[in-house]
Amino acid sequence: MQTTATEAGTPEAAICARNITRDFEAGQTTIRVLHGIDTEIRSGEMTYVVGESGSGKTTLISIMCGILWPTEGEVKVFGTDIYKLSDTELVKFRLQNIGFIFQQYNLIPSIDVAANAAVPLIAQGMPREEARERAKVLLDKLNIGNQADKLPRQLSGGQQQRVAIARALVHEPRLVVCDEPTAALDASSGRRVMDLLREVAVAPDRACIIVTHDNRIFDLADRIIVLEDGRITHDGKEMPDDH
Amino acid sequence: MLTGDAQKFYGLLFGIGFSTLLITQQMTIFVNLVERGASGVYNAPEAEVWVMDPVSRTTDVSYAMPGTALDRVRSVPGVEWAVPHLRAQANVRTKDGDLEGVAVIGVDDATLIGMPQRMATGDKSVLYAPDSVVIDDVGTTRLFSNGASAIGERLELNDQRAVIRGIADSIPSFTSTVVLYTRYSSALNFVPGTRNRLSFVLVGVSDGQTAQEVAARIEAETGLKAETREEFSQAGVDFIIENTGIPTNFGITVFLGFVVGIAIVGLTFSLFLRDNIKQFGALKAIGVTNAKIVQMVGAQAGMVGTIGYALGVIGTVAFIKGFSANPFFKGFYIPWQIPLISLLAVVIILAITGLIAIRSVLKTEPASVFR
Ligand SMILES: Nc1ncnc2c1ncn2[C@@H]1O[C@H](COP(=O)(O)OP(=O)(O)OP(=O)(O)O)[C@@H](O)[C@H]1O
Ligand SMILES: [Mg+2]
């Protein structure tokens, strides 16, 4: 990744989504949740996906990061048409290229913070100790280096989410995907987590997509995509006035 | 992962430990108990071949032969020595006036062949004294439960006087009946009865002959039944297996141990995996393969299984050791096959429950983690 958005001046598409639709079977009927989404996500930016509950935000980013098959359409992530990969190739692709942050942190309760943050590296085959050391550097950056040997449940929600951030970034993925990262946190720790995330996650050669309801953190976005009933109704630097 | 959830960890440990204990302990008791059917053979270690009436089945189920059988056996080539052996039932009246059924065993007057190998108290030669009997050690606890010494005690044995002069260290019979050893000639006095009172002829074989060959020759030449030590002890074991409800009873308990293991372990396993389904989903989204997850869960199950199994086996050993002073458990040992069988049971329990439980994890869509 020599050519980056900022250096080149022309933003490069990290994700290129073409005509994405997604249907869900609900009993006898089929519900179309996404209606032909066309968009590109650029590296070097923090892109927010916002919208009412049920508008299809989670569905959209799940498809963009290779964990949910679209009914129709094509998703290229860094040039790779991910749904043309085999199952095992796709799993490997995610492990190499994508970092995940979940609403409920989803840390492994029985292993300590450093080990949790090191999971992607260990899964990639790095020796445990080396992986832990790498994870600790990142935990330090996130101001929880002194918690490295604790179990997740001994940490506050905000601290746990910072561990999750470390886990999402430790293997230096080119794409970071977060679904409602602050939903389980109170306002001030949510804000602090997002400030930190912006600080450590945003890089010229990395794209960052965040799904959120939380309008207190909209100011951190480089770009905001608004979804309504499975269609993009706004795409810009600021929120539209009617929201 | 499992170790992070103390409750379920101990639940699994308990399930596996309990199953192992139940299976190992019940099978151990079963094997030892059933082997007591051969105690009569084990307690007469010098006899290499047992000769008996063709209808006799075990040391305790025998039909007497005419006294001439002894000479006929002695004349068979390959018989180094042959001695008479009497086994009969009698009643004793104890000092307290209780009546107790006993087994009277008459051993060879001259050589005392037919006695157990070791004595707990006294010497075998005490039997040469008149009216003398040697009691077995478990019998002592039965006849003299208050802990008083049995030596020198008088018994009324079918209205005859008998004096206990020694205690034999012997393997208890299946029914733990009190056993009194005495010389063949005095046994005939103690046990009045019909003309034929020769239960067995015990035979030693000459050098260069096998017990099998000699037994076959005895059968051919005398028309009596002759069995080697091994055959006759097996016959005793088989008799217990065929004629008691023991195999069924123990079989049911062992089976229950297995089922309870499956139930506890299966339930705990499923609960554990269900509680952590989001975490597994997260791992799958991140890019951890199903194979890695199976490996992870397998390693944990293996660890819990090993600890639980070890606890169960240790528990059984402690149980057997703890009760070794109890006459019922005298000489109990754990045959090496039994821990192997319970290990197999544990592996099967973990494999079945693990496979069922992990299916839900493998089926989990990584996308579910965002929901
Ligand atoms: N697996 C599924 N099966 C059936 N319907 C689904 C499934 N996943 C999502 N849906 C439906 O698709 C629609 C969009 O869901 P999605 O989770 O993408 O919305 P969202 O914008 O993320 O909402 P929220 O803000 O509440 O998280 C909803 O109506 C939901 O019920
Ligand atoms: Mg959602």
Side-chain angles (χ1 to χ4, degrees), chain A residues 57-59 103 179-180 211 213, chain B residues 370:
Chain A
K57 306 182 294 291
T58 298
T59 307
Q103 179 176 338
D179 195 1
E180 314 265 8
V211 165
H213 274 117
Chain B
F370 276 150

Side-chain angles (χ1 to χ4, degrees), chain B residues 102-118:
Chain B
V102 300
V104 174
I105 297 181
V107 303
D108 183 43
D109 279 65
T111 61
L112 301 183
I113 285 175
M115 287 281 287
Q117 186 148 25
R118 280 185 306 273

Side-chain angles (χ1 to χ4, degrees), chain A residues 6 18 24 37 39 57 62 64 73 84 103 116 118 140 164-165 175 179 190 200 218-219 227 232 237:
Chain A
T6 36
R18 288 287 160 256
F24 284 113
I37 301 282
T39 190
K57 306 182 294 291
S62 298
M64 284 179 160
K84 293 240 165 73
Q103 179 176 338
N116 261 292
D140 272 336
I165 292 174
L175 171 63
D179 195 1
V200 295
F218 283 173
D219 60 303
L227 217 53
I232 295 175
K237 176 85 185 78

Side-chain angles (χ1 to χ4, degrees), chain A residues 58 61-62 65 67-68 91 94-95 98 100-102 106-110 119-120 122-123 153 167 177-179, chain B residues 1-5 276 278-279 281-289 292 296 300 365-371:
Chain A
T58 298
I61 63 152
S62 298
C65 67
I67 59 176
L68 184 69
V91 169
R94 292 202 302 266
L95 183 58
I98 305 178
F100 293 86
I101 298 173
F102 312 102
N106 289 332
L107 301 172
I108 298 176
S110 63
V119 160
I122 295 168
R153 64 165 170 272
R167 179 175 67 182
V177 180
C178 323
D179 195 1
Chain B
M1 250 176 151
L2 260 178
T3 45
D5 190 335
N276 289 279
K278 279 268 177 188
Q279 279 76 13
L283 290 178
K284 290 177 85 162
I286 288 169
V288 178
T289 56
K292 264 248 160 61
M296 242 168 63
Q300 306 246 346
E365 292 289 336
S368 69
V369 72
F370 276 150
R371 248 174 265 134

Side-chain angles (χ1 to χ4, degrees), chain A residues 196-210:
Chain A
L196 270 169
L197 181 63
R198 189 171 170 96
E199 219 177 291
V200 295
V202 176
D205 55 357
R206 180 182 291 144
C208 197
I209 314 177
I210 294 165

